[in-house]
Amino acid sequence: MTNILDVAHLTVTFENVEPLHDLSFSVARGASLAVIGPNGAGKTVLFRAIIGAIPHGGAVHWAEDVRIGYVPQKLDLDRDVPITARDFLGTQKTLAAVSDADISDALKRVGISAEVTKTPIGTLSGGQFQRLLIAFALLGKPNVLLLDELTAGVDEPGQRQLNELVANLQRDHGLTVLFISHELSVVYQYANNVLCLGRGMAHIGAPKVILTPDLLREIYGAPVDYHIHEH
Amino acid sequence: MTIEGLLLSIAMAAAAGLVGCFAVMRRMALAGDALSHVALPGIGIAIALGIHPLVGAATALFFGAVLVWGLEGQARAATETIVGVVFSVALAIGSMLASGEQLIDALFGGAGVLRPAEVVFGVAASCVVVAFVLTQKNKLVVMLVSSEVARTAGISVRLLDFLYLETFSLTIALGLRYLGALLMGALIIIPAATAKQLARSLNGMLIVATVIALIATLAGSALASHLHRESGPFIVTAAGAIFLLSLLYRRR
């Protein structure tokens, strides 16, 4: 299987802090890579570096045909701006040359009703907003999805539905998924590989192989409790 | 008001209303206001060199936008402080270079006879601003939501940001003749802030902001003309009154 992403010796420096140091890993096409680690470990910095949004050392090499859909955790937006969901998705008509039918199709796939698209995006619930961001990403016909804590601030049933939605999209479209998560049970369930960042260290491997209590204690600096959903 | 004056004020109001929507949504109301101050040293230098003040103001605004853009690109978070300091100093330098009536005209706009070149510059610059906002609004919206999403959607985020700031500067430049550096910032921000309260969609906001800027400009100019006073303060007061009414409307 060919790689869609190769990262070699990635280093990011802010003033005197170095959130990422000499990080190397690869992601196979169609795979699912989870990125975990305590707050401040550099997970979002890693995502921003690999899309070229912040300066970095080392090499980030994407496959030539890569099209990335990004779902951020933190938005730059005021919640009271009068931009509707339809305004936001409509921007893809010029950016990605999609039609109204494509937009309706994307909305159906992520489970957003037409009625909801008429309301300002600031009034959407956390789960609806994440679905909207996924719909926007899908309209760009991506082959890679970068999800930064997709389910943060979403209630438990909503989290399950979002995780299932991504798994279904990945299966139906052969997507490669990189996702940041704090939920170890989700990592076990959905990831082929997991990249653990923290305390200046980085470990990558299959979750069942590398997520040992000792490694988690080393990365998080404290014992970590978790349970695995068996499905 | 002459036909040329009417044409120029309509063009200026349309540009201010449109460009202001994104300034308000980008939370750069205060940075934009500070940026407008940089026109003053430009005007002072232009008067000292014997060239048209508008040329000096436009040049200074161009480099002011470059400075804001450069600061935004830095990882350090002290942008607001630096913008506040640099542009307040610009206001002081401008006051040193210009004096008396020149300074009052630069700050609050002056009447006098419009030259054909001023009308041509004003209308042409307004067309550029309106065309930029209408053709780039989709990219600007995505950048508002998330610069990472914009980047992965193929938008050159830094370039678009630069072009927006320069468009904003150009809008201030084209209002200098009527409103002056201080009041033009207000005509950009107040109608857009009002539209943000009232509108329920992006196009709604763009239309409402433009209409309010037009109403404020025409009503303010008419009242000022009736009272034989400068139009700038009346235009901005009219815009402020509409903003206050919109707050009452929202409360209902």
Side-chain angles (χ1 to χ4, degrees), chain A residues 14-15 48 51-53 68-70 72 75-78 80-84 87-88 90-92 94-95 118 120-121 129 133 136, chain B residues 22 24-25 27 75-76 137-139 141-153 155 195-196 199-203 205 250:
Chain A
F14 294 139
E15 309 249 323
R48 298 191 69 215
I51 63 164
I68 300 170
Y70 195 104
L75 290 180
D76 307 333
L77 187 73
D78 271 347
D80 64 345
V81 296
I83 293 175
T84 63
D87 285 333
F88 179 53
T91 61
Q92 286 283 39
T94 47
L95 295 173
K118 292 177 193 157
I121 51 181
F129 195 80
L133 288 170
F136 181 88
Chain B
F22 287 96
V24 166
M25 289 194 286
R27 285 170 287 193
R76 302 170 71 110
K137 66 175 183 176
N138 285 337
K139 291 181 181 176
V141 164
V142 179
M143 203 162 81
L144 265 180
V145 173
S146 156
S147 59
E148 284 86 15
V149 170
R151 181 176 291 274
T152 51
I155 296 168
K196 191 179 167 203
R200 301 280 294 166
S201 69
L202 176 67
N203 284 338
M205 183 177 181
R250 282 282 287 197

Side-chain angles (χ1 to χ4, degrees), chain A residues 4-181:
Chain A
I4 199 156
L5 172 65
D6 288 297
V7 174
H9 308 295
L10 180 71
T11 298
V12 175
T13 311
F14 294 139
E15 309 249 323
N16 300 319
V17 189
E18 202 171 66
L20 296 175
H21 175 72
D22 198 24
L23 179 64
S24 299
F25 65 93
S26 295
V27 183
R29 215 174 261 275
S32 195
L33 174 74
V35 181
I36 68 165
N39 294 330
K43 304 181 295 295
T44 299
V45 170
L46 170 66
F47 272 20
R48 298 191 69 215
I50 62 176
I51 63 164
I54 49 174
H56 59 77
V60 174
H61 182 258
W62 290 100
E64 277 188 13
D65 65 340
V66 74
R67 289 182 308 281
I68 300 170
Y70 195 104
V71 179
Q73 180 200 3
K74 187 179 152 289
L75 290 180
D76 307 333
L77 187 73
D78 271 347
R79 285 284 173 180
D80 64 345
V81 296
I83 293 175
T84 63
R86 188 153 283 277
D87 285 333
F88 179 53
L89 293 183
T91 61
Q92 286 283 39
K93 284 193 215 170
T94 47
L95 295 173
V98 299
S99 63
D100 282 324
D102 293 329
I103 292 175
S104 300
D105 186 45
L107 286 169
K108 204 179 295 172
R109 271 153 64 192
V110 301
I112 294 181
S113 70
E115 201 54 38
V116 170
T117 64
K118 292 177 193 157
T119 56
I121 51 181
T123 62
L124 298 179
S125 70
Q128 283 174 327
F129 195 80
Q130 297 301 77
R131 287 168 190 272
L132 178 70
L133 288 170
I134 295 173
F136 181 88
L138 289 178
L139 287 168
K141 301 180 185 65
N143 47 19
V144 175
L145 281 183
L146 298 185
L147 311 172
D148 188 351
E149 294 194 37
L150 180 68
T151 59
V154 178
D155 59 25
E156 182 82 26
Q159 290 187 14
R160 252 197 324 275
Q161 288 167 3
L162 278 171
N163 288 326
E164 279 304 311
L165 170 64
V166 172
N168 291 339
L169 291 171
Q170 181 173 27
R171 190 190 56 230
D172 296 347
H173 301 278
L175 299 174
T176 306
V177 177
L178 280 72
F179 68 97
I180 293 172
S181 181

